[in-house]
């Protein structure tokens, strides 16, 4: 996961994709971002979804450029204000129905659970006979907010609901 401080993607960020890996050996990619958008009152009320699309397109293009024998597809992307979780899988896994039951949820924990400036986006899926669940969270910052982060963790864990 990355706190991207509301920046837009550019080619200098290719390092987050670890180009030295043999990407054709990888089946699943997950990217979690915090502070995708500036955490302003306006964004909390009506979140700008265009930044998510920029990152989805950037990651799709760059991941596929690093692969020689197969491609990846975005199977889920969910945003809660400044939190974004993107899940990519090798296209063959979709074609053979190996990935199933992809679901997501989000939990707001900002201002007593009313706002999404703090919270989590959660995605789950089945891959063959295994279940996976991934959480991208953005919680209170600073050394003095440890108890608040622990409470937010428990709130997120207890309030996740997959529809």
């Amino acid at each position: 996961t990355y706190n991207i401080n509301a920046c837009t993607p550019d080619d200098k960020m290719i390092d987050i994709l670890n180009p030295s890996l043999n990407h054709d050996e990888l089946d699943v990619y997950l990217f979690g971002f915090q502070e995708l958008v500036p955490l302003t009152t306006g964004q909390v009320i009506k979140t700008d979804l265009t930044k998510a699309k920029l990152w989805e397109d950037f990651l799709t293009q760059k991941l596929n450029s690093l692969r020689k024998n197969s491609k990846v597809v975005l199977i889920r992307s969910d945003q809660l204000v400044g939190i974004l979780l993107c899940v990519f899988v090798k296209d063959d896994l979709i074609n053979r129905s190996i990935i199933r039951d992809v679901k997501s949820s989000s939990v707001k924990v900002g201002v007593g659970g009313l706002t999404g400036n703090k919270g989590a986006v959660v995605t789950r899926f089945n891959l063959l006979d295994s279940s996976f669940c991934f959480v991208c969270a953005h919680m209170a910052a600073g050394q003095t907010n440890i108890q608040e982060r622990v409470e937010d963790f428990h709130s997120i864990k207890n309030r996740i609901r997959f529809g």
Side-chain angles (χ1 to χ4, degrees), residues 33 44 47 49 76-86 102-110 113-124 133-139 152-163:
F33 298 108
V44 171
T47 301
L49 303 177
R76 195 74 195 200
S77 177
D78 293 287
Q79 181 177 356
L80 173 65
V81 186
I83 305 165
L84 176 68
L85 182 59
C86 298
V102 180
K103 297 185 177 161
S104 66
S105 179
S106 62
V107 178
K108 299 174 183 178
V109 296
L114 299 175
T115 64
N117 61 313
K118 301 294 181 190
V121 175
V122 185
T123 299
R124 62 152 319 274
C133 184
F134 298 92
V135 179
C136 181
H138 191 218
M139 298 183 208
D152 287 348
F153 166 80
H154 288 292
S155 180
I156 291 165
K157 178 180 64 111
N158 293 331
R159 292 174 48 212
I160 294 170
R161 298 290 178 265
F162 297 104

Side-chain angles (χ1 to χ4, degrees), residues 9-66:
D10 65 42
D11 287 339
K12 293 179 277 189
M13 297 174 173
I14 193 72
D15 287 346
I16 70 170
L17 303 179
N18 199 350
S20 63
L21 289 176
N22 179 354
H23 283 264
D24 283 309
E25 293 180 354
L26 304 177
D27 292 332
V28 178
Y29 297 88
L30 291 109
F31 293 92
F33 298 108
Q34 300 86 37
E35 296 187 21
L36 178 72
V37 296
L39 297 180
T40 63
T41 303
Q43 287 290 344
V44 171
I45 293 169
K46 183 167 175 24
T47 301
D48 177 8
L49 303 177
T50 58
K51 277 274 187 83
K53 179 73 172 127
L54 288 172
W55 278 98
E56 292 163 7
D57 292 347
F58 172 81
L59 291 168
T60 300
Q61 192 272 324
K62 294 301 178 188
L63 288 170
N64 283 321
S65 73
L66 293 169

Side-chain angles (χ1 to χ4, degrees), residues 98-101 124-133:
I98 292 173
I99 297 262
R100 299 176 320 282
D101 302 322
R124 62 152 319 274
F125 58 83
N126 294 328
L127 174 64
L128 295 173
D129 293 330
S130 298
S131 295
F132 295 89
C133 184

Side-chain angles (χ1 to χ4, degrees), residues 68-80:
K68 294 176 180 59
N69 301 317
S70 63
K71 298 294 181 191
V72 296
V73 292
L74 178 68
I75 62 164
R76 195 74 195 200
S77 177
D78 293 287
Q79 181 177 356
L80 173 65

